[in-house]
Amino acid sequence: MKSVDQEEISRRRGIYFQGFGIYGGLSGLYDYGPYGSRIKDKVISEWKETMLSEGNVAEFDGTTITHTDVLKASGHYDRFFDYSVECESCHTKFRADDLVEKKGVPAVLDRQWLQDKIRELGIKCERCQGDLGEVKIQKLMFSVDQGEGMEPLFLRPETAQGMFVNFKEYYRFFREKLPFAMITVGRGYRNEISPRRALYRLREFNMMECESFFDPQNEMWIHDPADDVRVAFLTTDGVEIKASPKEAHEKGIVKSQPMAYFMGLALRFYSRVGIDLERMRFRKHRKEELSHYSSETWDAEALTDLGWIEITGIAHRGTYDLTNHMKHSGKDLYAQRVIPKREVNRAIKEIDYQKVKSESPESSAKIIAALKEGKTSITIGNQVIDLNRFVTEKEEKVTIDREDFVPVVIEPAFGFDRIFYTILDHNLSSREDSGYVLLKIPYTISPYNAAILPLMNKDDLDTKARSIFEDLLKKKFSVIYDDAGSIGKRYSRYDEVGIVYCITIDYDTIKGGDVTIRHRDTKEQVRIKIEDIPDYLGTDPWDGKKN
Amino acid sequence: MKSVDQEEISRRRGIYFQGFGIYGGLSGLYDYGPYGSRIKDKVISEWKETMLSEGNVAEFDGTTITHTDVLKASGHYDRFFDYSVECESCHTKFRADDLVEKKGVPAVLDRQWLQDKIRELGIKCERCQGDLGEVKIQKLMFSVDQGEGMEPLFLRPETAQGMFVNFKEYYRFFREKLPFAMITVGRGYRNEISPRRALYRLREFNMMECESFFDPQNEMWIHDPADDVRVAFLTTDGVEIKASPKEAHEKGIVKSQPMAYFMGLALRFYSRVGIDLERMRFRKHRKEELSHYSSETWDAEALTDLGWIEITGIAHRGTYDLTNHMKHSGKDLYAQRVIPKREVNRAIKEIDYQKVKSESPESSAKIIAALKEGKTSITIGNQVIDLNRFVTEKEEKVTIDREDFVPVVIEPAFGFDRIFYTILDHNLSSREDSGYVLLKIPYTISPYNAAILPLMNKDDLDTKARSIFEDLLKKKFSVIYDDAGSIGKRYSRYDEVGIVYCITIDYDTIKGGDVTIRHRDTKEQVRIKIEDIPDYLGTDPWDGKKN
């Protein structure tokens, strides 16, 4: 097997390619073509199905343009940047931490540390070997101009924040019971210093994020972690342990039960979309790698031709986000838990109407209105009146059986484009001798159910093939019609883009009413009746029955 | 029946609501909540299925951030703006053409005309009756800042351009045969002067666009226009004619055959998602309404509580886009047609090697290289050399059987959010007496297959209900579990969000193994066995069998 240039094949075959190619392209912006966008739809639908089948998970679909206050509360406004360093000769920009990591040194995200390390290790420009300048800060959020005299807004750097600010909508939807989770599939944006390797680091990317909410006193998902698949867990000590998510939690490798659960869910999803679990591991973040909000984070990493790459991050975000949004918005984002009934003293404020009435009639009406709005002072005429003197405080005994708390959040965030990259990496092969390329993705994410191929473009073979094609379309199969080139070439064409079945219409089809179905992986060819095609295509060969 | 405040119900029930509510919201930005985002997914999937089942349609998924040259070529960079007018007292901004149209005068999109008309009609501020200032131009594209020293990019105002610039990828995919179409579902952005009425005019919106490509000598879709449904066609003379798309085309009301075909396809889609075709019409654009690129445009309009609103535009874009992208990019976006074989004279340029050799050896190598790159002059040392003198032109007879042409484009562009608005408008009703709300959307776009409701939260009813719930989830049904409140209240709750079936687990379920299924519209209740639930839910009641 030859190593495969995934990007080259993807461009040539219409799987994905750099955007705006006729204008020379734009760095970090990629499009999905006719095959890629269909595979994309199916991978996303597998993910949604995996998540939603949990029963306590609901979808959210929010805007990409984001309120600036949201990003101030989340910390992105102040803290979301990378360290860039520019070559003094050729002016190419690099991420300072990338350069250090490439020397095998785990990077610390600190400007001075990176500056010193680059000097110490004698790192030069990758392109021209020139000297590198000062390490600088580059903001990673794209700002969006609203026009003259208006503050700019921002494109979301993650979909998560839209979910946090709508926590209460979903809390009500789930009848005020925890745990539950929200999911969003959509675009995120980061103004990367050095976008690279096609889908690996994009400036506009696709995310599949899940935010799950827990009572910190009962941080448990509704199901147990999976115990059927064992993968590698790499701890911060560099120890690698093979375990199932359930075992990893029981052994204390993964502290949080929901985190272990989501690891299992991720593995289930990966395997449904054809990622090789033998080339997967979970790696725990070192303390200095952790985001400012996180106490425990695990990355799901896949081994690809780019090395180990992060395709999913599962982060314990604690109460960070909800607390900060409460602080910044002044709105209540609490959940409530039932507690044993007890009596407590509660201070209550009452308006002292007697005192108010001692003011002039007009003033007293205004004072009462202001007090009801919760104001503490009011200006009448030129006079500022302190309203506290019209309020009396009393203590009252009340029975309570609920108390407020801030839910903790665990977030499994799936990077769609890197998952797509990994699917191709794990399933594309190429034969050295012939250059023959095969994309062995599962039937469920195959871009089309089948290709319909008349052997020749004459003698009614094309008419017959067309009628089979149209009939399958009516039955809601996704099929592709192709009459150009030799049958062998057409088989190869569809092997390259992962279509499992090729259906050939030949002279015997016209006589006997049967067709040849060829299987992508086995190359096995079977003859079946035309009327049996829908049943055949309707059965997932990975699910049983065939192969 | 009471008139229904769709926005209020949507907010209360988690269908859609303004984004960033806890921060006071942002104008023109709306989110889809737990029910809305599921309905959204299903409407989009119905649309994709409708379009892709044509067989010569493929999907495209491109970035929202767009290359500036693309928007210069498309005309958006220079011409995409609205006319705004600001109140001199309260500083509210309005769209000048909106204000004029509200007075029943069709607006002409010209600054001076609008300025004169506002004076002539004595139009004042809608909010405070103040005087209006000068009519000004507001650019509608959002620019995106790439950082210091870089030109800004733009968020796409339509998804169309991404498809045009990738025309050749899809031309190859369809084995160089026209007609074919590309579709994209994704977000578009317009910095609207006065976003309003929730989903009606958004600054970030969802589009479902289709670009179809034709040989102008054979501008025909692969199927005939539909002849089964008759709707109203409103011509530019104000004449309204009831016709099927096929009749409208035959009578010359709709000139282009593909346009008539897409009208039929749109009607098929509308009816699948529950839009009332009796409240639909096609309205032809008046000459002064037409976009700069279009020769014929029809809007599909729906009658809602906002009046007639455009939900889809079907525009004949001619060769405008491809021609301009060729001009600006210098790249070939031609298609080819087969023509009768003929001999033509073709001028060919040849390098006159003899003449080149008369130069010095170093120079001649450079000259040959430059000639091969197609250059017309070269500088060697200080001397500029005109390369034309090394080229001889000859005429050659060649046989050709193909010629280049620029395809024409017909674009059916569906505004997702307005379609969503219309679906709710046509299916929401409210009873004056009780306030009871019903959302009568088709089963195919219902947010969940069913709600699972234990009659009481005790006596094992909840355990039984949970086990039925979990079993249905495993079988890939989308179901919702609810044990809070009286059964009548729960029925109402799910009627409001369009869930067709409520399944109640009661004491007889435990004894007899059967459940009550209640139908949203008929309120009919039937008893069926637990094991028959999947079959029951798997059958679309609109498709036959039930009701």
Side-chain angles (χ1 to χ4, degrees), chain A residues 253-269:
Chain A
I253 300 166
V254 177
K255 281 199 210 115
S256 145
Q257 186 265 10
M259 199 166 280
Y261 185 79
F262 288 125
M263 286 170 164
L265 209 58
L267 294 176
R268 198 198 304 167
F269 163 67

Side-chain angles (χ1 to χ4, degrees), chain A residues 51-71:
Chain A
M51 304 306 287
L52 292 171
S53 71
E54 288 296 302
N56 62 340
V57 176
E59 224 178 312
F60 172 73
D61 184 70
T63 57
T64 58
I65 294 182
T66 301
H67 199 300
T68 307
D69 289 348
V70 171
L71 300 162

Side-chain angles (χ1 to χ4, degrees), chain A residues 345-348 393-397:
Chain A
N345 291 324
R346 192 167 60 181
I348 49 168
E393 283 209 10
K394 281 209 289 191
E395 280 224 329
E396 201 188 39
K397 278 205 189 307

Side-chain angles (χ1 to χ4, degrees), chain A residues 11-14 17-18 20-26 29-35 37-38 40-41 48-49 52-70 73 138 141-147 150 153 155-156 162 164-166 169-170 172-173 175 177 187 189 191 203-204 206 222-223 272 324-326 328-329 331 333 448 457 469-470 473-474 476 479-485 490 493-494, chain B residues 11-14 17-18 20-26 29-35 37-38 40-41 48-49 52-70 73 138 141-147 150 153 155-156 162 164-166 169-170 172-173 175 177 187 189 191 203-204 206 222-223 272 324-326 328-329 331 333 448 457 469-470 473-474 476 479-485 490 493-494:
Chain A
R11 192 192 47 69
R12 181 159 47 81
R13 278 281 157 254
F17 37 77
Q18 194 176 21
F20 315 110
I22 65 167
Y23 288 98
L26 275 178
L29 297 179
Y30 274 73
D31 294 339
Y32 290 91
Y35 294 113
S37 53
R38 289 200 55 79
K40 182 184 178 211
D41 279 359
K48 281 192 181 174
E49 212 175 71
L52 292 171
S53 71
E54 288 296 302
N56 62 340
V57 176
E59 224 178 312
F60 172 73
D61 184 70
T63 57
T64 58
I65 294 182
T66 301
H67 199 300
T68 307
D69 289 348
V70 171
Q138 170 157 333
M141 286 202 296
F142 281 111
S143 69
V144 173
D145 183 21
Q146 292 195 83
M150 309 267 287
L153 299 170
L155 290 175
R156 64 182 177 197
F164 297 136
V165 299
N166 285 301
E169 300 290 339
Y170 284 74
R172 271 194 296 276
F173 174 80
R175 315 309 301 270
K177 275 175 204 142
R187 283 164 189 271
Y189 302 81
N191 195 12
R203 296 201 292 167
E204 176 174 340
N206 298 281
I222 50 167
H223 301 120
R272 280 169 75 163
N324 277 299
H325 285 304
M326 282 202 270
H328 280 77
S329 70
K331 293 291 186 323
L333 296 175
Y448 287 86
N457 210 355
F469 175 65
E470 296 272 349
L473 285 172
K474 267 195 207 103
K476 300 192 176 178
V479 278
I480 194 166
Y481 184 89
D482 189 1
D483 57 15
R490 280 180 275 165
R493 168 185 297 273
Y494 298 110
Chain B
R11 192 192 47 70
R12 181 159 46 82
R13 277 281 157 253
F17 37 76
Q18 194 174 21
F20 316 110
I22 64 167
Y23 288 99
L26 275 178
L29 297 180
Y30 274 73
D31 293 340
Y32 290 91
Y35 294 112
S37 53
R38 289 201 54 79
K40 184 184 177 212
D41 278 359
K48 281 191 182 174
E49 212 175 72
L52 292 171
S53 70
E54 288 297 302
N56 62 341
V57 177
E59 224 177 312
F60 171 73
D61 185 70
T63 58
T64 58
I65 294 183
T66 301
H67 199 299
T68 306
D69 290 347
V70 171
Q138 171 158 331
M141 286 202 296
F142 282 110
S143 69
V144 174
D145 184 20
Q146 291 196 82
M150 308 267 288
L153 298 170
L155 290 175
R156 65 181 177 198
F164 297 137
V165 300
N166 285 301
E169 301 289 339
Y170 285 75
R172 270 193 296 277
F173 173 79
R175 315 308 303 269
K177 275 177 204 142
R187 282 163 191 271
Y189 302 80
N191 195 12
R203 296 200 292 167
E204 176 174 339
N206 299 280
I222 50 166
H223 301 119
R272 279 168 76 163
N324 277 300
H325 284 303
M326 281 203 270
H328 281 76
S329 71
K331 293 292 186 322
L333 297 175
Y448 286 86
N457 211 354
F469 174 66
E470 296 272 349
L473 285 173
K474 268 195 208 103
K476 299 191 178 180
V479 279
I480 193 166
Y481 184 89
D482 188 2
D483 58 13
R490 279 180 276 164
R493 168 185 298 273
Y494 298 111

Side-chain angles (χ1 to χ4, degrees), chain A residues 7-283:
Chain A
E7 195 177 346
E8 194 275 323
I9 290 171
S10 293
R11 192 192 47 69
R12 181 159 47 81
R13 278 281 157 254
I15 298 174
Y16 65 80
F17 37 77
Q18 194 176 21
F20 315 110
I22 65 167
Y23 288 98
L26 275 178
S27 76
L29 297 179
Y30 274 73
D31 294 339
Y32 290 91
Y35 294 113
S37 53
R38 289 200 55 79
I39 299 173
K40 182 184 178 211
D41 279 359
K42 293 186 174 190
V43 171
I44 286 174
S45 129
E46 286 296 318
W47 186 79
K48 281 192 181 174
E49 212 175 71
T50 304
M51 304 306 287
L52 292 171
S53 71
E54 288 296 302
N56 62 340
V57 176
E59 224 178 312
F60 172 73
D61 184 70
T63 57
T64 58
I65 294 182
T66 301
H67 199 300
T68 307
D69 289 348
V70 171
L71 300 162
K72 284 183 177 164
S74 70
H76 286 94
Y77 189 83
D78 292 321
R79 271 180 279 188
F80 197 55
F81 52 81
D82 268 342
Y83 296 97
S84 79
V85 62
E86 198 177 306
C87 170
E88 289 180 337
S89 310
C90 75
H91 300 289
T92 307
K93 268 180 159 185
F94 301 93
R95 254 177 72 171
D97 53 326
D98 267 4
L99 296 178
V100 171
E101 298 254 352
K102 277 187 192 160
K103 298 286 173 191
V105 181
V108 175
L109 294 177
D110 175 83
R111 208 193 61 77
Q112 196 55 52
W113 187 94
L114 289 165
Q115 183 75 73
D116 294 346
K117 217 45 156 185
I118 285 173
R119 299 249 159 93
E120 190 186 315
L121 298 169
I123 298 175
K124 299 279 177 183
C125 172
E126 281 188 350
R127 239 180 101 197
C128 77
Q129 293 301 311
D131 286 334
L132 297 172
E134 290 284 303
V135 172
K136 286 182 183 164
I137 280 170
Q138 170 157 333
K139 295 240 175 196
L140 294 183
M141 286 202 296
F142 281 111
S143 69
V144 173
D145 183 21
Q146 292 195 83
E148 228 183 284
M150 309 267 287
E151 287 277 301
L153 299 170
F154 292 92
L155 290 175
R156 64 182 177 197
E158 58 178 12
T159 65
Q161 298 304 324
M163 296 191 256
F164 297 136
V165 299
N166 285 301
F167 167 71
K168 274 284 167 130
E169 300 290 339
Y170 284 74
Y171 185 55
R172 271 194 296 276
F173 174 80
F174 283 110
R175 315 309 301 270
E176 312 194 345
K177 275 175 204 142
L178 297 186
F180 69 77
M182 299 166 70
I183 60 169
T184 288
V185 175
R187 283 164 189 271
Y189 302 81
R190 295 183 186 189
N191 195 12
E192 295 285 355
I193 294 164
S194 60
R196 62 190 178 103
R197 294 299 192 96
L199 303 184
Y200 176 66
R201 190 182 290 157
L202 294 168
R203 296 201 292 167
E204 176 174 340
F205 45 90
N206 298 281
M207 305 185 85
M208 308 186 290
E209 287 196 309
C210 170
E211 306 300 329
S212 58
F213 300 90
F214 299 85
D215 182 341
Q217 289 182 3
N218 183 26
E219 198 184 304
M220 296 275 285
W221 190 244
I222 50 167
H223 301 120
D224 287 329
D227 198 25
D228 48 347
V229 195
R230 309 179 102 220
V231 290
F233 288 78
L234 184 62
T235 70
T236 49
D237 312 323
V239 180
E240 198 173 289
I241 297 145
K242 273 256 179 185
S244 71
K246 185 178 158 76
E247 288 163 354
H249 175 56
E250 284 168 357
K251 287 183 184 163
I253 300 166
V254 177
K255 281 199 210 115
S256 145
Q257 186 265 10
M259 199 166 280
Y261 185 79
F262 288 125
M263 286 170 164
L265 209 58
L267 294 176
R268 198 198 304 167
F269 163 67
Y270 299 148
S271 105
R272 280 169 75 163
V273 296
I275 290 178
D276 177 9
L277 300 189
E278 295 289 316
R279 282 181 268 176
M280 286 294 315
R281 70 178 184 198
F282 289 106
R283 187 181 67 77

